[in-house]
mmCIF file of all heavy atoms in Angstrom:
data_model
loop_
_atom_site.group_PDB
_atom_site.id
_atom_site.type_symbol
_atom_site.label_atom_id
_atom_site.label_comp_id
_atom_site.label_asym_id
_atom_site.label_seq_id
_atom_site.Cartn_x
_atom_site.Cartn_y
_atom_site.Cartn_z
ATOM 1 N N TYR A 1337 167.333 79.284 92.801
ATOM 2 C CA TYR A 1337 167.560 79.623 91.394
ATOM 3 C C TYR A 1337 168.142 81.019 91.211
ATOM 4 O O TYR A 1337 168.904 81.269 90.277
ATOM 5 C CB TYR A 1337 166.199 79.503 90.704
ATOM 6 C CG TYR A 1337 166.133 79.850 89.248
ATOM 7 C CD1 TYR A 1337 166.568 78.944 88.279
ATOM 8 C CD2 TYR A 1337 165.590 81.067 88.822
ATOM 9 C CE1 TYR A 1337 166.468 79.236 86.927
ATOM 10 C CE2 TYR A 1337 165.496 81.368 87.476
ATOM 11 C CZ TYR A 1337 165.930 80.451 86.536
ATOM 12 O OH TYR A 1337 165.835 80.753 85.199
ATOM 13 N N ILE A 1414 171.959 87.501 88.815
ATOM 14 C CA ILE A 1414 171.202 88.287 87.847
ATOM 15 C C ILE A 1414 170.866 87.413 86.644
ATOM 16 O O ILE A 1414 171.756 86.827 86.016
ATOM 17 C CB ILE A 1414 171.996 89.529 87.396
ATOM 18 C CG1 ILE A 1414 172.518 90.300 88.612
ATOM 19 C CG2 ILE A 1414 171.133 90.416 86.506
ATOM 20 C CD1 ILE A 1414 171.443 90.793 89.549
ATOM 21 N N ARG A 1415 169.585 87.317 86.338
ATOM 22 C CA ARG A 1415 169.115 86.518 85.205
ATOM 23 C C ARG A 1415 168.266 87.374 84.269
ATOM 24 O O ARG A 1415 167.603 88.326 84.701
ATOM 25 C CB ARG A 1415 168.286 85.320 85.683
ATOM 26 C CG ARG A 1415 169.087 84.244 86.423
ATOM 27 C CD ARG A 1415 168.182 83.090 86.822
ATOM 28 N NE ARG A 1415 168.893 82.013 87.523
ATOM 29 C CZ ARG A 1415 169.440 80.953 86.943
ATOM 30 N NH1 ARG A 1415 169.343 80.812 85.632
ATOM 31 N NH2 ARG A 1415 170.047 80.027 87.652
ATOM 32 N N ASP A 1416 168.261 86.991 82.986
ATOM 33 C CA ASP A 1416 167.401 87.642 82.012
ATOM 34 C C ASP A 1416 165.968 87.151 82.187
ATOM 35 O O ASP A 1416 165.706 86.194 82.928
ATOM 36 C CB ASP A 1416 167.885 87.334 80.591
ATOM 37 C CG ASP A 1416 169.274 87.889 80.313
ATOM 38 O OD1 ASP A 1416 169.699 88.814 81.038
ATOM 39 O OD2 ASP A 1416 169.918 87.400 79.368
ATOM 40 N N SER A 1417 165.054 87.769 81.465
ATOM 41 C CA SER A 1417 163.644 87.402 81.607
ATOM 42 C C SER A 1417 163.355 85.982 81.129
ATOM 43 O O SER A 1417 162.350 85.393 81.523
ATOM 44 C CB SER A 1417 162.763 88.393 80.840
ATOM 45 O OG SER A 1417 163.052 88.355 79.443
ATOM 46 N N ASP A 1418 164.239 85.408 80.296
ATOM 47 C CA ASP A 1418 164.040 84.030 79.851
ATOM 48 C C ASP A 1418 164.688 83.012 80.790
ATOM 49 O O ASP A 1418 164.665 81.819 80.520
ATOM 50 C CB ASP A 1418 164.568 83.840 78.431
ATOM 51 C CG ASP A 1418 166.073 84.051 78.310
ATOM 52 O OD1 ASP A 1418 166.705 84.439 79.322
ATOM 53 O OD2 ASP A 1418 166.623 83.834 77.203
ATOM 54 N N GLY A 1419 165.269 83.495 81.894
ATOM 55 C CA GLY A 1419 165.835 82.604 82.897
ATOM 56 C C GLY A 1419 167.321 82.352 82.767
ATOM 57 O O GLY A 1419 167.940 81.825 83.696
ATOM 58 N N LYS A 1420 167.920 82.729 81.656
ATOM 59 C CA LYS A 1420 169.350 82.504 81.494
ATOM 60 C C LYS A 1420 170.145 83.520 82.323
ATOM 61 O O LYS A 1420 169.694 84.646 82.533
ATOM 62 C CB LYS A 1420 169.748 82.620 80.016
ATOM 63 C CG LYS A 1420 169.166 81.518 79.142
ATOM 64 C CD LYS A 1420 169.603 81.684 77.696
ATOM 65 C CE LYS A 1420 169.010 80.587 76.814
ATOM 66 N NZ LYS A 1420 169.397 80.762 75.379
ATOM 67 N N ILE A 1421 171.321 83.104 82.766
ATOM 68 C CA ILE A 1421 172.186 84.010 83.515
ATOM 69 C C ILE A 1421 172.602 85.165 82.604
ATOM 70 O O ILE A 1421 172.983 84.960 81.448
ATOM 71 C CB ILE A 1421 173.434 83.272 84.027
ATOM 72 C CG1 ILE A 1421 173.027 82.185 85.032
ATOM 73 C CG2 ILE A 1421 174.417 84.237 84.675
ATOM 74 C CD1 ILE A 1421 174.183 81.308 85.482
ATOM 75 N N SER A 1422 172.523 86.372 83.118
ATOM 76 C CA SER A 1422 172.875 87.553 82.328
ATOM 77 C C SER A 1422 174.368 87.552 82.006
ATOM 78 O O SER A 1422 175.196 87.252 82.865
ATOM 79 C CB SER A 1422 172.512 88.823 83.096
ATOM 80 O OG SER A 1422 171.122 88.880 83.364
ATOM 81 N N LEU A 1466 174.643 92.539 82.026
ATOM 82 C CA LEU A 1466 173.513 93.196 81.375
ATOM 83 C C LEU A 1466 172.277 92.326 81.548
ATOM 84 O O LEU A 1466 172.202 91.233 80.970
ATOM 85 C CB LEU A 1466 173.789 93.412 79.880
ATOM 86 C CG LEU A 1466 174.646 94.602 79.478
ATOM 87 C CD1 LEU A 1466 176.061 94.486 80.027
ATOM 88 C CD2 LEU A 1466 174.705 94.729 77.963
ATOM 89 N N GLN A 1467 171.328 92.795 82.319
ATOM 90 C CA GLN A 1467 170.078 92.061 82.491
ATOM 91 C C GLN A 1467 169.138 92.462 81.363
ATOM 92 O O GLN A 1467 168.826 93.638 81.183
ATOM 93 C CB GLN A 1467 169.446 92.360 83.845
ATOM 94 C CG GLN A 1467 168.236 91.488 84.145
ATOM 95 C CD GLN A 1467 167.691 91.739 85.536
ATOM 96 O OE1 GLN A 1467 167.661 92.876 85.999
ATOM 97 N NE2 GLN A 1467 167.264 90.682 86.205
ATOM 98 N N LYS A 1468 168.664 91.467 80.618
ATOM 99 C CA LYS A 1468 167.884 91.742 79.416
ATOM 100 C C LYS A 1468 166.457 91.210 79.546
ATOM 101 O O LYS A 1468 166.200 90.194 80.178
ATOM 102 C CB LYS A 1468 168.554 91.107 78.197
ATOM 103 C CG LYS A 1468 169.915 91.709 77.859
ATOM 104 C CD LYS A 1468 170.596 90.985 76.713
ATOM 105 C CE LYS A 1468 171.050 89.600 77.121
ATOM 106 N NZ LYS A 1468 171.827 88.913 76.068
ATOM 107 N N ASP A 1469 165.540 91.937 78.919
ATOM 108 C CA ASP A 1469 164.184 91.457 78.703
ATOM 109 C C ASP A 1469 164.122 90.890 77.295
ATOM 110 O O ASP A 1469 164.532 91.547 76.331
ATOM 111 C CB ASP A 1469 163.170 92.589 78.857
ATOM 112 C CG ASP A 1469 163.060 93.068 80.292
ATOM 113 O OD1 ASP A 1469 163.043 92.223 81.211
ATOM 114 O OD2 ASP A 1469 162.973 94.292 80.509
ATOM 115 N N ILE A 1470 163.599 89.671 77.170
ATOM 116 C CA ILE A 1470 163.575 88.987 75.882
ATOM 117 C C ILE A 1470 162.135 88.624 75.544
ATOM 118 O O ILE A 1470 161.465 87.915 76.289
ATOM 119 C CB ILE A 1470 164.472 87.732 75.912
ATOM 120 C CG1 ILE A 1470 165.907 88.142 76.289
ATOM 121 C CG2 ILE A 1470 164.448 87.019 74.571
ATOM 122 C CD1 ILE A 1470 166.857 86.993 76.476
ATOM 123 N N SER A 1471 161.649 89.159 74.425
ATOM 124 C CA SER A 1471 160.267 88.933 74.020
ATOM 125 C C SER A 1471 160.094 87.549 73.409
ATOM 126 O O SER A 1471 161.069 86.832 73.163
ATOM 127 C CB SER A 1471 159.841 90.008 73.012
ATOM 128 O OG SER A 1471 160.625 89.918 71.834
ATOM 129 N N SER A 1472 158.858 87.187 73.139
ATOM 130 C CA SER A 1472 158.553 85.863 72.601
ATOM 131 C C SER A 1472 159.151 85.659 71.214
ATOM 132 O O SER A 1472 159.403 84.524 70.802
ATOM 133 C CB SER A 1472 157.040 85.657 72.541
ATOM 134 O OG SER A 1472 156.422 86.676 71.762
ATOM 135 N N LYS A 1475 163.424 89.167 70.528
ATOM 136 C CA LYS A 1475 164.010 90.504 70.565
ATOM 137 C C LYS A 1475 164.492 90.838 71.965
ATOM 138 O O LYS A 1475 163.800 90.612 72.949
ATOM 139 C CB LYS A 1475 162.985 91.542 70.110
ATOM 140 C CG LYS A 1475 163.544 92.960 70.037
ATOM 141 C CD LYS A 1475 162.511 93.946 69.536
ATOM 142 C CE LYS A 1475 163.100 95.353 69.475
ATOM 143 N NZ LYS A 1475 162.094 96.338 68.993
ATOM 144 N N GLU A 1476 165.722 91.386 72.053
ATOM 145 C CA GLU A 1476 166.340 91.693 73.340
ATOM 146 C C GLU A 1476 166.339 93.189 73.617
ATOM 147 O O GLU A 1476 166.618 93.992 72.730
ATOM 148 C CB GLU A 1476 167.777 91.180 73.375
ATOM 149 C CG GLU A 1476 167.921 89.678 73.218
ATOM 150 C CD GLU A 1476 169.375 89.242 73.253
ATOM 151 O OE1 GLU A 1476 170.272 90.118 73.215
ATOM 152 O OE2 GLU A 1476 169.618 88.023 73.313
ATOM 153 N N THR A 1477 166.042 93.531 74.862
ATOM 154 C CA THR A 1477 166.165 94.906 75.333
ATOM 155 C C THR A 1477 166.892 94.886 76.664
ATOM 156 O O THR A 1477 166.542 94.105 77.555
ATOM 157 C CB THR A 1477 164.787 95.579 75.526
ATOM 158 O OG1 THR A 1477 164.063 95.542 74.301
ATOM 159 C CG2 THR A 1477 164.954 97.036 75.958
ATOM 160 N N ARG A 1479 167.523 95.798 80.206
ATOM 161 C CA ARG A 1479 166.779 96.410 81.296
ATOM 162 C C ARG A 1479 167.672 97.280 82.167
ATOM 163 O O ARG A 1479 167.327 98.387 82.545
ATOM 164 C CB ARG A 1479 166.117 95.333 82.162
ATOM 165 C CG ARG A 1479 165.208 95.866 83.259
ATOM 166 C CD ARG A 1479 164.801 94.763 84.230
ATOM 167 N NE ARG A 1479 164.296 93.585 83.531
ATOM 168 C CZ ARG A 1479 164.007 92.436 84.147
ATOM 169 N NH1 ARG A 1479 164.226 92.316 85.463
ATOM 170 N NH2 ARG A 1479 163.556 91.406 83.469
#
Side-chain angles (χ1 to χ4, degrees):
Y1337 178 79
I1414 310 300
R1415 291 181 179 268
D1416 296 340
S1417 62
D1418 64 355
K1420 293 180 181 178
I1421 296 174
S1422 299
L1466 279 63
Q1467 187 176 38
K1468 295 176 290 185
D1469 291 318
I1470 302 175
S1471 63
S1472 57
K1475 184 178 180 180
E1476 298 180 350
T1477 303
R1479 185 191 310 173

